[in-house]
Amino acid sequence: MTKQSEKVISHHFSSQLYQSTAPFSHFVQQGNTGYSAGIIGQDPSSGALVSSDVTAQCEAMLTNLQTLLDEMGLAMGDIIRTTLYLIDYQDFDAINTVYARRLAPPFPARTTVQAAALPLGAKVQIEATVQIPPA
């Protein structure tokens, strides 16, 4: 059984993403695994969605994820699993096009879920699980 002192958990709130006052961490690391919070296509300065267009939102969402990972010394290639939340499955092809361009094969395991609503009226949201390379 692992002692509590051996369970190293660190929390990170990015200074480069929108500074929400909501109670969450952008990224939590436990051991060699990291977990992002849900990320949408927000402008990092204003917090507003970058566009009402799903492709633009998806691009910004993945840029925000990349910004977070860069800040943590990680890369998109370190992602092992994602969950995508979509408002409308009609957007599935558009999101897949952006996703396939921004993440390289072999792609992470992925689950895609249709949601009734997302923060700020976003059309897509991602959360990622990341393998953290040994130091």
Side-chain angles (χ1 to χ4, degrees):
M1 190 163 210
T2 305
K3 295 180 186 176
Q4 183 65 26
S5 63
E6 294 173 345
K7 292 182 182 179
V8 178
I9 299 174
S10 61
H11 296 260
H12 179 74
F13 194 79
S14 174
S15 61
Q16 297 181 53
L17 298 178
Y18 179 66
Q19 299 300 294
S20 172
T21 58
F24 70 94
S25 298
H26 283 131
F27 191 85
V28 176
Q29 177 180 345
Q30 181 177 18
N32 291 339
T33 307
Y35 308 90
S36 79
I39 296 175
I40 59 174
Q42 279 179 294
D43 177 277
S45 300
S46 70
L49 291 174
V50 296
S51 171
S52 61
D53 177 70
V54 70
T55 299
Q57 284 186 28
C58 192
E59 288 282 0
M61 172 190 78
L62 290 173
T63 296
N64 289 341
L65 178 58
Q66 175 130 32
T67 296
L68 177 61
L69 294 177
D70 288 348
E71 192 173 327
M72 300 301 301
L74 301 166
M76 297 292 262
D78 295 319
I79 298 171
I80 57 175
R81 185 182 192 295
T82 62
T83 303
L84 284 176
Y85 300 93
L86 306 177
I87 294 301
D88 187 345
Y89 258 97
Q90 300 273 345
D91 295 329
F92 193 69
D93 288 340
I95 289 165
N96 278 335
T97 298
V98 175
Y99 188 93
R101 187 170 18 84
R102 297 289 300 268
L103 287 102
F107 297 109
R110 184 177 102 180
T111 299
T112 304
V113 178
Q114 186 168 353
L118 293 171
L120 303 179
K123 294 182 177 183
V124 61
Q125 182 179 44
I126 192 170
E127 59 186 30
T129 303
V130 183
Q131 179 66 43
I132 300 170

